[in-house]
Amino acid sequence: PSFLRHSLIALNVQVPDVVIVGGGLAGLVTAISIAERGGSVVILEKQSTLGGNSGKASSGINSVRSNTSLDINGFFKDTVKSQNGRGNPDLAQILVERSNTSVHWLES
């Protein structure tokens, strides 16, 4: 990697701070976060469009759209149930608590 970096620099090619492999939701969120902090990013994607499997998800992204305890508790129960006993309830709680904020960030 350092040979490639030095070669690009010698050719006056701008070298990004980060190269992200995959233009799905996780890759795009990472790229945006890095760019917001002043970093430069290149995304490598094998498909002709960005989005990955997230772009194919017909049901969208699950989140709590209101802060009522009924909605929060229901989403938490559904999330834990879908884990079939293999998940971590503490991480499920973090997902539930931060879901609305995350969706708002994605929409902005």
Side-chain angles (χ1 to χ4, degrees):
S2 66
F3 172 76
L4 176 60
R5 181 175 181 81
H6 292 299
S7 298
L8 292 172
I9 291 170
L11 294 170
N12 289 325
V13 174
Q14 183 179 359
V15 179
D17 296 316
V18 178
V19 175
I20 296 173
V21 179
L25 184 59
L28 294 174
V29 167
T30 302
I32 291 167
S33 296
I34 291 167
E36 285 180 341
R37 290 162 177 79
S40 60
V41 180
V42 168
I43 300 173
L44 302 177
E45 171 57 53
K46 65 183 176 183
Q47 302 297 325
S48 61
T49 59
L50 297 174
N53 286 331
S54 303
K56 299 173 189 164
S58 61
S59 61
I61 299 171
N62 293 328
S63 72
V64 176
R65 294 302 271 184
S66 69
N67 287 326
T68 66
S69 61
L70 179 63
D71 290 337
I72 292 170
N73 290 335
F75 184 31
F76 175 76
K77 287 178 184 176
D78 286 347
T79 301
V80 171
K81 182 180 177 182
S82 70
Q83 296 171 345
N84 295 320
R86 295 185 305 257
N88 181 325
D90 293 333
L91 294 178
Q93 187 65 41
I94 292 170
L95 170 77
V96 169
E97 290 172 357
R98 296 182 184 176
S99 65
N100 197 23
T101 302
S102 298
V103 170
H104 282 296
W105 181 83
L106 288 168
E107 291 174 336
S108 64

Coordinates of all heavy atoms in Angstrom, one line a residue:
P1 N 0.8 -1.2 0.0 CA 0.0 0.0 0.0 C 0.8 1.3 0.0 O 0.5 2.2 -0.7 CB -0.8 -0.1 1.3 CG -0.9 -1.6 1.6 CD 0.4 -2.1 1.0
S2 N 2.0 1.3 0.7 CA 2.8 2.5 0.8 C 3.4 2.7 -0.6 O 3.6 3.9 -1.0 CB 3.8 2.5 1.9 OG 4.7 1.5 1.7
F3 N 3.8 1.6 -1.3 CA 4.4 1.8 -2.6 C 3.4 2.4 -3.6 O 3.7 3.3 -4.3 CB 4.8 0.4 -3.2 CG 5.3 0.4 -4.6 CD1 6.5 1.0 -4.9 CD2 4.4 0.0 -5.6 CE1 6.9 1.0 -6.3 CE2 4.8 0.1 -7.0 CZ 6.1 0.6 -7.3
L4 N 2.1 1.9 -3.5 CA 1.1 2.5 -4.4 C 0.9 4.0 -4.0 O 0.8 4.8 -4.9 CB -0.2 1.7 -4.2 CG -1.4 2.3 -5.0 CD1 -1.1 2.3 -6.5 CD2 -2.6 1.4 -4.6
R5 N 0.8 4.3 -2.8 CA 0.6 5.7 -2.3 C 1.7 6.6 -2.8 O 1.5 7.6 -3.4 CB 0.5 5.7 -0.8 CG 0.2 7.1 -0.2 CD 0.0 7.0 1.3 NE -0.2 8.3 1.8 CZ -1.4 9.0 1.8 NH1 -2.4 8.4 1.3 NH2 -1.5 10.2 2.3
H6 N 2.9 6.1 -2.6 CA 4.1 6.9 -3.1 C 4.1 7.1 -4.6 O 4.5 8.1 -5.1 CB 5.4 6.3 -2.6 CG 5.5 6.4 -1.1 ND1 5.6 7.6 -0.4 CD2 5.7 5.5 -0.1 CE1 5.7 7.4 0.9 NE2 5.8 6.1 1.1
S7 N 3.7 6.0 -5.3 CA 3.7 6.1 -6.8 C 2.6 7.1 -7.2 O 2.9 7.9 -8.2 CB 3.3 4.7 -7.3 OG 4.3 3.8 -7.0
L8 N 1.5 7.1 -6.6 CA 0.4 8.0 -7.0 C 0.9 9.5 -6.7 O 0.6 10.4 -7.5 CB -0.9 7.7 -6.2 CG -1.6 6.4 -6.7 CD1 -2.7 6.1 -5.7 CD2 -2.0 6.5 -8.1
I9 N 1.5 9.7 -5.5 CA 2.0 11.0 -5.2 C 3.0 11.5 -6.2 O 3.0 12.6 -6.7 CB 2.6 11.0 -3.8 CG1 1.4 10.8 -2.8 CG2 3.3 12.3 -3.5 CD1 1.9 10.6 -1.3
A10 N 3.9 10.6 -6.6 CA 4.9 10.9 -7.6 C 4.3 11.3 -8.9 O 4.9 12.1 -9.7 CB 5.9 9.7 -7.8
L11 N 3.2 10.7 -9.3 CA 2.5 11.0 -10.5 C 1.5 12.2 -10.4 O 0.7 12.5 -11.3 CB 1.7 9.8 -11.0 CG 2.5 8.6 -11.4 CD1 1.6 7.4 -11.6 CD2 3.3 8.9 -12.6
N12 N 1.6 12.9 -9.2 CA 0.7 14.0 -8.9 C -0.8 13.7 -9.0 O -1.7 14.5 -9.4 CB 0.9 15.2 -9.9 CG 2.3 15.9 -9.6 OD1 2.7 16.0 -8.4 ND2 2.9 16.3 -10.6
V13 N -1.1 12.4 -8.5 CA -2.5 12.0 -8.4 C -2.9 12.2 -7.0 O -2.2 11.8 -6.0 CB -2.6 10.5 -8.8 CG1 -4.0 10.0 -8.6 CG2 -2.2 10.3 -10.3
Q14 N -4.1 12.8 -6.8 CA -4.6 13.0 -5.5 C -4.9 11.7 -4.8 O -5.6 10.9 -5.3 CB -5.8 13.9 -5.5 CG -6.3 14.2 -4.1 CD -7.6 15.1 -4.1 OE1 -8.0 15.5 -5.2 NE2 -8.1 15.4 -2.9
V15 N -4.3 11.5 -3.6 CA -4.5 10.3 -2.9 C -5.5 10.5 -1.8 O -5.3 11.4 -1.0 CB -3.1 9.8 -2.2 CG1 -3.3 8.5 -1.4 CG2 -2.1 9.6 -3.3
P16 N -6.6 9.7 -1.7 CA -7.6 10.0 -0.7 C -7.1 9.5 0.7 O -6.2 8.7 0.8 CB -8.8 9.1 -1.2 CG -8.1 8.0 -1.9 CD -6.9 8.6 -2.6
D17 N -7.8 10.1 1.7 CA -7.5 9.7 3.0 C -8.0 8.2 3.3 O -7.3 7.5 4.0 CB -8.1 10.6 4.0 CG -7.6 12.0 4.0 OD1 -6.4 12.2 3.9 OD2 -8.4 13.0 4.0
V18 N -9.1 7.9 2.6 CA -9.7 6.6 2.9 C -10.3 6.1 1.5 O -10.8 6.8 0.7 CB -10.9 6.7 3.9 CG1 -11.6 5.4 4.1 CG2 -10.4 7.3 5.2
V19 N -10.1 4.8 1.3 CA -10.8 4.1 0.2 C -11.8 3.1 0.8 O -11.4 2.3 1.7 CB -9.7 3.3 -0.6 CG1 -10.5 2.5 -1.7 CG2 -8.7 4.2 -1.3
I20 N -13.0 3.3 0.4 CA -14.1 2.4 0.9 C -14.5 1.4 -0.2 O -14.8 1.9 -1.3 CB -15.3 3.3 1.4 CG1 -14.9 4.2 2.5 CG2 -16.5 2.4 1.7 CD1 -15.9 5.2 2.9
V21 N -14.5 0.2 0.2 CA -14.9 -0.9 -0.8 C -16.4 -1.2 -0.5 O -16.7 -1.7 0.6 CB -14.0 -2.1 -0.6 CG1 -14.5 -3.2 -1.6 CG2 -12.6 -1.7 -0.9
G22 N -17.3 -0.8 -1.4 CA -18.7 -1.1 -1.3 C -19.5 0.2 -1.1 O -19.2 0.9 -0.2
G23 N -20.4 0.4 -2.0 CA -21.3 1.6 -1.9 C -22.6 1.3 -1.4 O -23.6 1.9 -1.8
G24 N -22.7 0.4 -0.4 CA -24.0 0.1 0.2 C -24.2 1.2 1.3 O -23.4 2.1 1.5
L25 N -25.2 0.9 2.1 CA -25.6 1.9 3.2 C -24.4 2.2 4.1 O -24.1 3.3 4.4 CB -26.8 1.5 3.9 CG -27.3 2.4 5.0 CD1 -27.7 3.8 4.4 CD2 -28.5 1.8 5.7
A26 N -23.8 1.1 4.6 CA -22.7 1.3 5.5 C -21.5 2.1 4.9 O -20.9 3.0 5.5 CB -22.2 -0.1 6.0
G27 N -21.2 1.7 3.6 CA -20.1 2.4 3.0 C -20.4 3.9 2.7 O -19.6 4.8 2.9
L28 N -21.7 4.2 2.3 CA -22.1 5.5 2.1 C -22.1 6.4 3.3 O -21.6 7.5 3.4 CB -23.4 5.6 1.4 CG -23.4 5.0 0.0 CD1 -24.9 4.9 -0.6 CD2 -22.5 5.7 -1.0
V29 N -22.6 5.8 4.4 CA -22.6 6.5 5.7 C -21.2 6.8 6.2 O -20.9 7.9 6.6 CB -23.4 5.7 6.8 CG1 -23.2 6.2 8.2 CG2 -24.9 5.7 6.4
T30 N -20.3 5.8 6.0 CA -18.9 6.0 6.4 C -18.3 7.1 5.6 O -17.6 8.0 6.1 CB -18.1 4.7 6.2 OG1 -18.8 3.7 7.0 CG2 -16.7 4.9 6.6
A31 N -18.5 7.1 4.3 CA -18.0 8.1 3.4 C -18.5 9.5 3.8 O -17.7 10.5 3.8 CB -18.3 7.8 1.9
I32 N -19.8 9.7 4.0 CA -20.3 10.9 4.4 C -19.7 11.4 5.7 O -19.3 12.6 5.9 CB -21.9 10.9 4.5 CG1 -22.5 10.7 3.1 CG2 -22.4 12.1 5.2 CD1 -23.9 10.3 3.1
S33 N -19.6 10.5 6.7 CA -19.0 10.9 8.0 C -17.6 11.4 7.9 O -17.2 12.3 8.5 CB -19.1 9.7 9.0 OG -20.4 9.4 9.2
I34 N -16.8 10.7 7.0 CA -15.4 11.1 6.8 C -15.4 12.5 6.1 O -14.6 13.3 6.5 CB -14.7 10.0 6.0 CG1 -14.5 8.8 6.9 CG2 -13.3 10.5 5.6 CD1 -14.0 7.6 6.1
A35 N -16.2 12.6 5.1 CA -16.2 13.9 4.4 C -16.6 15.1 5.3 O -16.1 16.2 5.2 CB -17.1 13.8 3.2
E36 N -17.6 14.8 6.1 CA -18.1 15.9 7.1 C -17.0 16.3 8.0 O -17.0 17.4 8.5 CB -19.3 15.4 7.9 CG -20.5 15.3 7.1 CD -21.7 14.8 8.0 OE1 -21.5 14.2 9.0 OE2 -22.9 15.1 7.6
R37 N -16.0 15.4 8.2 CA -14.9 15.8 9.1 C -13.7 16.2 8.4 O -12.6 16.4 8.9 CB -14.6 14.5 10.0 CG -15.6 14.2 11.0 CD -15.5 12.8 11.6 NE -16.5 12.6 12.6 CZ -17.8 12.3 12.4 NH1 -18.2 12.3 11.2 NH2 -18.6 12.0 13.4
G38 N -13.8 16.5 7.1 CA -12.8 17.1 6.3 C -11.9 16.1 5.5 O -10.9 16.5 4.9
G39 N -12.2 14.8 5.6 CA -11.4 13.8 4.9 C -11.8 13.6 3.5 O -12.9 14.0 3.1
S40 N -10.9 13.1 2.7 CA -11.2 12.8 1.3 C -11.4 11.3 1.2 O -10.8 10.5 1.8 CB -10.1 13.2 0.4 OG -8.9 12.6 0.7
V41 N -12.4 10.9 0.3 CA -12.9 9.5 0.2 C -13.0 9.1 -1.2 O -13.5 9.9 -2.1 CB -14.2 9.3 0.9 CG1 -14.7 7.9 0.8 CG2 -14.2 9.8 2.4
V42 N -12.7 7.9 -1.5 CA -13.0 7.2 -2.8 C -13.8 6.0 -2.4 O -13.4 5.2 -1.6 CB -11.7 6.8 -3.6 CG1 -12.1 5.9 -4.8 CG2 -11.0 8.1 -4.1
I43 N -14.9 5.8 -3.1 CA -15.7 4.6 -2.9 C -15.6 3.7 -4.2 O -15.7 4.2 -5.3 CB -17.2 5.0 -2.8 CG1 -17.4 5.8 -1.6 CG2 -18.1 3.7 -2.7 CD1 -18.9 6.4 -1.4
L44 N -15.2 2.5 -3.9 CA -15.1 1.5 -5.0 C -16.4 0.6 -5.0 O -16.6 0.0 -3.9 CB -13.9 0.6 -4.8 CG -12.5 1.3 -4.8 CD1 -11.4 0.3 -4.6 CD2 -12.3 2.1 -6.1
E45 N -17.1 0.5 -6.0 CA -18.3 -0.2 -6.1 C -18.3 -1.1 -7.4 O -18.1 -0.5 -8.5 CB -19.5 0.7 -6.0 CG -20.9 0.0 -6.3 CD -21.2 -1.1 -5.3 OE1 -21.1 -0.9 -4.1 OE2 -21.5 -2.2 -5.8
K46 N -18.6 -2.3 -7.3 CA -18.6 -3.2 -8.5 C -19.9 -3.1 -9.3 O -19.9 -3.4 -10.5 CB -18.4 -4.7 -8.1 CG -19.6 -5.2 -7.3 CD -19.3 -6.7 -6.8 CE -20.4 -7.2 -6.0 NZ -20.1 -8.6 -5.5
Q47 N -21.0 -2.6 -8.7 CA -22.2 -2.4 -9.5 C -22.2 -1.0 -10.2 O -21.4 -0.1 -9.9 CB -23.4 -2.5 -8.6 CG -23.5 -3.8 -7.8 CD -23.7 -5.0 -8.8 OE1 -24.4 -4.9 -9.8 NE2 -23.1 -6.1 -8.4
S48 N -23.1 -0.8 -11.1 CA -23.2 0.5 -11.8 C -23.9 1.5 -11.0 O -23.9 2.7 -11.4 CB -23.9 0.3 -13.2 OG -25.2 -0.2 -13.0
T49 N -24.5 1.1 -9.9 CA -25.2 2.1 -9.1 C -24.8 1.9 -7.6 O -24.4 0.8 -7.3 CB -26.8 2.0 -9.2 OG1 -27.1 0.6 -8.8 CG2 -27.3 2.2 -10.6
L50 N -25.0 2.9 -6.8 CA -24.7 2.8 -5.4 C -26.0 2.3 -4.7 O -27.1 2.4 -5.2 CB -24.3 4.2 -4.8 CG -23.0 4.7 -5.4 CD1 -22.8 6.2 -4.8 CD2 -21.9 3.9 -5.0
G51 N -25.8 1.8 -3.5 CA -26.9 1.4 -2.6 C -26.8 0.0 -2.1 O -27.3 -0.3 -1.1
G52 N -26.1 -0.9 -2.8 CA -25.9 -2.3 -2.4 C -27.3 -2.9 -2.1 O -28.3 -2.6 -2.7
N53 N -27.3 -3.8 -1.2 CA -28.5 -4.5 -0.8 C -29.5 -3.6 -0.1 O -30.7 -3.8 -0.2 CB -28.2 -5.7 0.1 CG -27.6 -6.9 -0.6 OD1 -27.8 -7.1 -1.8 ND2 -26.8 -7.6 0.0
S54 N -29.0 -2.5 0.5 CA -29.9 -1.6 1.1 C -30.8 -0.9 0.1 O -31.9 -0.6 0.4 CB -29.1 -0.5 1.8 OG -28.2 -1.0 2.8
G55 N -30.3 -0.7 -1.1 CA -31.1 -0.1 -2.2 C -32.2 -1.0 -2.7 O -33.1 -0.6 -3.3
K56 N -32.1 -2.3 -2.4 CA -33.1 -3.3 -2.8 C -34.1 -3.6 -1.7 O -35.0 -4.3 -2.0 CB -32.3 -4.6 -3.2 CG -31.4 -4.4 -4.4 CD -30.6 -5.7 -4.6 CE -29.5 -5.4 -5.6 NZ -28.5 -6.4 -5.6
A57 N -33.8 -3.1 -0.5 CA -34.7 -3.4 0.6 C -36.1 -2.8 0.4 O -36.2 -1.6 0.4 CB -34.1 -2.9 1.9
S58 N -37.1 -3.6 0.2 CA -38.4 -3.1 -0.1 C -39.1 -2.5 1.2 O -40.0 -1.7 1.1 CB -39.3 -4.2 -0.7 OG -39.4 -5.2 0.2
S59 N -38.6 -3.0 2.4 CA -39.3 -2.5 3.6 C -38.6 -1.3 4.2 O -39.1 -0.8 5.2 CB -39.3 -3.7 4.6 OG -38.0 -4.1 4.9
G60 N -37.6 -0.8 3.7 CA -36.9 0.4 4.2 C -36.1 0.1 5.4 O -35.6 -1.0 5.6
I61 N -35.9 1.1 6.2 CA -35.0 1.0 7.4 C -36.0 1.1 8.6 O -36.7 2.0 8.7 CB -34.0 2.1 7.5 CG1 -33.1 2.0 6.3 CG2 -33.2 2.0 8.8 CD1 -32.1 3.2 6.1
N62 N -35.9 0.1 9.5 CA -36.8 0.1 10.7 C -36.3 1.2 11.7 O -35.1 1.3 11.9 CB -36.7 -1.2 11.4 CG -37.4 -2.3 10.5 OD1 -38.3 -2.0 9.8 ND2 -36.9 -3.5 10.6
S63 N -37.2 1.9 12.3 CA -36.9 2.9 13.3 C -38.2 3.2 14.1 O -39.3 2.9 13.7 CB -36.3 4.2 12.7 OG -37.4 4.9 12.0
V64 N -37.9 3.9 15.2 CA -39.0 4.4 16.0 C -39.3 5.8 15.5 O -38.4 6.6 15.6 CB -38.6 4.4 17.5 CG1 -39.7 5.0 18.3 CG2 -38.3 3.0 18.0
R65 N -40.4 6.0 15.0 CA -40.7 7.3 14.4 C -41.4 8.3 15.4 O -41.6 9.4 15.1 CB -41.6 7.2 13.2 CG -41.0 6.5 12.1 CD -39.7 7.2 11.6 NE -40.0 8.1 10.6 CZ -39.1 8.8 10.0 NH1 -37.8 8.7 10.2 NH2 -39.4 9.7 9.1
S66 N -41.7 7.8 16.6 CA -42.2 8.7 17.7 C -41.5 8.2 19.0 O -40.9 7.2 19.0 CB -43.7 8.6 17.8 OG -44.1 7.4 18.3
N67 N -41.5 9.1 19.9 CA -40.8 8.8 21.2 C -41.7 8.3 22.3 O -41.4 8.4 23.5 CB -40.0 10.0 21.7 CG -38.8 10.2 20.8 OD1 -38.2 9.3 20.3 ND2 -38.5 11.5 20.6
T68 N -42.9 7.7 21.9 CA -43.8 7.2 22.9 C -43.2 5.9 23.4 O -42.6 5.1 22.7 CB -45.2 6.9 22.4 OG1 -45.2 5.9 21.4 CG2 -45.8 8.2 21.8
S69 N -43.4 5.6 24.7 CA -42.9 4.4 25.3 C -43.5 3.1 24.6 O -42.8 2.1 24.5 CB -43.1 4.3 26.8 OG -44.4 4.4 27.1
L70 N -44.7 3.2 24.2 CA -45.3 2.1 23.5 C -44.6 1.7 22.2 O -44.3 0.6 21.9 CB -46.8 2.4 23.2 CG -47.6 1.3 22.4 CD1 -47.7 0.1 23.3 CD2 -49.0 1.8 22.1
D71 N -44.3 2.8 21.4 CA -43.5 2.5 20.2 C -42.1 2.0 20.4 O -41.7 1.1 19.8 CB -43.4 3.8 19.3 CG -44.8 4.2 18.7 OD1 -45.6 3.3 18.6 OD2 -44.9 5.4 18.5
I72 N -41.5 2.6 21.4 CA -40.1 2.2 21.7 C -40.1 0.7 22.3 O -39.3 -0.1 21.8 CB -39.5 3.1 22.8 CG1 -39.2 4.5 22.1 CG2 -38.2 2.6 23.3 CD1 -38.8 5.6 23.0
N73 N -41.0 0.4 23.2 CA -41.0 -0.9 23.7 C -41.4 -2.0 22.7 O -40.9 -3.1 22.6 CB -42.0 -1.0 24.9 CG -41.5 -0.3 26.1 OD1 -40.3 -0.1 26.3 ND2 -42.4 0.2 27.0
G74 N -42.4 -1.6 21.8 CA -42.8 -2.5 20.7 C -41.6 -2.8 19.7 O -41.4 -4.0 19.3
F75 N -40.9 -1.8 19.4 CA -39.8 -1.9 18.4 C -38.7 -2.8 19.1 O -38.1 -3.7 18.5 CB -39.2 -0.6 18.0 CG -38.2 -0.6 17.0 CD1 -38.1 -1.6 16.0 CD2 -37.2 0.4 16.9 CE1 -37.1 -1.6 15.1 CE2 -36.2 0.4 16.0 CZ -36.1 -0.6 15.1
F76 N -38.4 -2.5 20.4 CA -37.4 -3.3 21.1 C -37.9 -4.8 21.1 O -37.0 -5.7 20.8 CB -37.2 -2.8 22.5 CG -36.3 -3.7 23.3 CD1 -34.9 -3.6 23.1 CD2 -36.8 -4.6 24.3 CE1 -34.0 -4.4 23.8 CE2 -35.9 -5.3 25.0 CZ -34.5 -5.3 24.8
K77 N -39.1 -5.1 21.5 CA -39.6 -6.5 21.5 C -39.5 -7.1 20.1 O -39.1 -8.3 20.0 CB -41.0 -6.5 22.0 CG -41.1 -6.2 23.5 CD -42.6 -6.2 24.0 CE -42.7 -5.9 25.4 NZ -44.1 -5.8 25.9
D78 N -39.9 -6.4 19.1 CA -39.8 -7.0 17.7 C -38.3 -7.3 17.4 O -38.0 -8.3 16.7 CB -40.4 -6.0 16.7 CG -41.9 -6.0 16.7 OD1 -42.5 -6.9 17.4 OD2 -42.5 -5.1 16.2
T79 N -37.4 -6.4 17.7 CA -36.0 -6.5 17.4 C -35.4 -7.7 18.1 O -34.7 -8.6 17.5 CB -35.2 -5.2 17.8 OG1 -35.8 -4.1 17.0 CG2 -33.8 -5.4 17.4
V80 N -35.7 -7.9 19.4 CA -35.2 -9.0 20.2 C -35.8 -10.3 19.7 O -35.1 -11.3 19.5 CB -35.4 -8.8 21.7 CG1 -35.1 -10.1 22.5 CG2 -34.6 -7.6 22.2
K81 N -37.1 -10.3 19.3 CA -37.7 -11.5 18.8 C -37.1 -12.0 17.5 O -36.8 -13.1 17.3 CB -39.2 -11.2 18.6 CG -40.0 -12.4 18.1 CD -41.4 -12.1 17.9 CE -42.2 -13.3 17.4 NZ -43.6 -13.0 17.1
S82 N -36.7 -11.0 16.6 CA -36.2 -11.3 15.3 C -34.7 -11.9 15.5 O -34.2 -12.5 14.5 CB -36.1 -10.1 14.4 OG -35.2 -9.2 14.8
Q83 N -34.1 -11.7 16.6 CA -32.8 -12.2 16.9 C -32.8 -13.7 17.2 O -31.7 -14.4 17.2 CB -32.1 -11.5 18.0 CG -31.9 -10.0 17.7 CD -31.4 -9.2 18.9 OE1 -31.5 -9.7 20.0 NE2 -30.9 -8.0 18.6
N84 N -33.9 -14.3 17.5 CA -34.1 -15.7 17.8 C -33.1 -16.2 18.9 O -32.5 -17.3 18.8 CB -33.9 -16.6 16.5 CG -35.0 -16.4 15.5 OD1 -36.1 -16.2 15.9 ND2 -34.6 -16.3 14.2
G85 N -32.9 -15.4 19.9 CA -32.1 -15.8 21.0 C -30.6 -15.7 20.8 O -29.8 -16.0 21.6
R86 N -30.2 -15.2 19.6 CA -28.8 -15.1 19.3 C -28.2 -13.7 19.4 O -27.0 -13.5 19.2 CB -28.6 -15.6 17.8 CG -28.9 -17.1 17.6 CD -28.5 -17.5 16.2 NE -29.2 -16.7 15.2 CZ -30.2 -17.1 14.5 NH1 -30.8 -18.3 14.7 NH2 -30.7 -16.3 13.6
G87 N -29.1 -12.7 19.6 CA -28.6 -11.4 19.7 C -28.3 -10.9 21.1 O -28.3 -11.6 22.0
N88 N -27.9 -9.6 21.1 CA -27.5 -9.0 22.4 C -28.6 -7.9 22.7 O -28.6 -6.9 22.0 CB -26.1 -8.4 22.2 CG -25.6 -7.7 23.5 OD1 -26.4 -7.1 24.2 ND2 -24.3 -7.8 23.7
P89 N -29.4 -8.2 23.7 CA -30.4 -7.2 24.1 C -29.9 -5.8 24.3 O -30.6 -4.8 24.0 CB -31.1 -7.8 25.3 CG -30.7 -9.2 25.3 CD -29.4 -9.3 24.6
D90 N -28.7 -5.7 24.9 CA -28.1 -4.3 25.2 C -27.9 -3.6 23.8 O -28.2 -2.4 23.7 CB -26.8 -4.4 26.0 CG -27.1 -4.9 27.4 OD1 -28.2 -4.7 27.9 OD2 -26.1 -5.5 27.9
L91 N -27.4 -4.3 22.8 CA -27.2 -3.7 21.5 C -28.5 -3.4 20.8 O -28.6 -2.4 20.2 CB -26.3 -4.6 20.6 CG -24.9 -4.7 21.1 CD1 -24.1 -5.7 20.2 CD2 -24.1 -3.4 21.2
A92 N -29.5 -4.2 21.0 CA -30.8 -4.0 20.5 C -31.4 -2.7 21.1 O -32.0 -1.9 20.4 CB -31.7 -5.2 20.7
Q93 N -31.2 -2.5 22.4 CA -31.7 -1.3 23.0 C -31.0 0.0 22.4 O -31.7 1.0 22.2 CB -31.5 -1.4 24.5 CG -32.1 -0.2 25.3 CD -33.6 -0.3 25.2 OE1 -34.2 -1.3 25.3 NE2 -34.2 0.9 25.0
I94 N -29.7 -0.1 22.2 CA -29.0 1.0 21.6 C -29.6 1.3 20.2 O -29.9 2.4 19.8 CB -27.5 0.8 21.5 CG1 -26.9 0.8 22.9 CG2 -26.8 1.8 20.6 CD1 -25.5 0.3 23.0
L95 N -29.8 0.2 19.4 CA -30.4 0.4 18.1 C -31.8 1.1 18.1 O -32.0 2.0 17.4 CB -30.6 -1.0 17.4 CG -31.4 -1.0 16.1 CD1 -30.6 -0.5 15.0 CD2 -32.0 -2.4 15.8
V96 N -32.6 0.6 19.0 CA -33.9 1.2 19.2 C -33.8 2.7 19.6 O -34.5 3.5 19.0 CB -34.7 0.4 20.2 CG1 -36.0 1.1 20.6 CG2 -35.1 -1.0 19.7
E97 N -33.0 3.0 20.6 CA -32.9 4.3 21.1 C -32.3 5.3 20.1 O -32.7 6.5 20.1 CB -32.0 4.4 22.4 CG -32.7 3.7 23.6 CD -31.8 3.5 24.7 OE1 -30.6 3.9 24.6 OE2 -32.3 3.0 25.8
R98 N -31.5 4.8 19.2 CA -30.8 5.8 18.3 C -31.4 5.7 16.9 O -31.0 6.5 16.0 CB -29.3 5.4 18.2 CG -28.6 5.7 19.5 CD -27.2 5.4 19.4 NE -26.5 5.5 20.7 CZ -25.2 5.2 20.9 NH1 -24.5 4.8 19.9 NH2 -24.7 5.4 22.1
S99 N -32.4 4.9 16.6 CA -32.9 4.6 15.3 C -33.5 5.9 14.7 O -33.3 6.2 13.5 CB -33.9 3.5 15.3 OG -35.1 3.8 16.0
N100 N -34.3 6.6 15.4 CA -35.0 7.8 14.9 C -34.0 8.9 14.5 O -34.1 9.5 13.4 CB -36.0 8.3 15.9 CG -37.0 9.3 15.3 OD1 -37.3 9.2 14.1 ND2 -37.6 10.1 16.1
T101 N -33.0 9.1 15.4 CA -32.0 10.1 15.1 C -31.2 9.7 13.8 O -30.9 10.5 13.0 CB -31.0 10.2 16.3 OG1 -31.8 10.6 17.5 CG2 -30.0 11.2 16.1
S102 N -30.9 8.4 13.7 CA -30.1 7.9 12.6 C -30.9 8.1 11.3 O -30.3 8.6 10.2 CB -29.8 6.5 12.7 OG -29.0 6.3 13.9
V103 N -32.2 7.8 11.3 CA -33.0 8.0 10.0 C -33.1 9.5 9.7 O -33.0 9.9 8.5 CB -34.4 7.4 10.2 CG1 -35.3 7.8 9.1 CG2 -34.3 5.9 10.3
H104 N -33.3 10.4 10.7 CA -33.3 11.8 10.4 C -32.0 12.3 9.8 O -32.0 13.1 8.9 CB -33.6 12.6 11.7 CG -35.0 12.6 12.1 ND1 -36.0 13.1 11.4 CD2 -35.6 12.0 13.2 CE1 -37.2 13.0 11.9 NE2 -37.0 12.3 13.1
W105 N -30.8 11.7 10.3 CA -29.5 12.1 9.7 C -29.5 11.6 8.3 O -29.0 12.4 7.4 CB -28.4 11.5 10.6 CG -27.1 11.8 10.1 CD1 -26.3 12.9 10.3 CD2 -26.2 11.0 9.2 NE1 -25.1 12.9 9.7 CE2 -25.0 11.7 9.0 CE3 -26.4 9.8 8.5 CZ2 -24.0 11.3 8.2 CZ3 -25.4 9.3 7.7 CH2 -24.2 10.1 7.6
L106 N -29.9 10.4 8.0 CA -29.9 9.9 6.6 C -30.8 10.8 5.7 O -30.4 11.0 4.5 CB -30.4 8.5 6.5 CG -29.4 7.4 7.1 CD1 -30.1 6.1 7.2 CD2 -28.2 7.3 6.2
E107 N -31.9 11.3 6.2 CA -32.8 12.1 5.4 C -32.3 13.5 5.2 O -32.7 14.1 4.2 CB -34.2 12.1 6.1 CG -34.9 10.8 6.1 CD -36.2 10.8 6.9 OE1 -36.3 11.7 7.8 OE2 -37.0 10.0 6.6
S108 N -31.3 14.0 6.0 CA -30.9 15.3 5.9 C -29.8 15.5 4.8 O -29.3 14.6 4.2 CB -30.4 15.8 7.2 OG -29.2 15.1 7.6

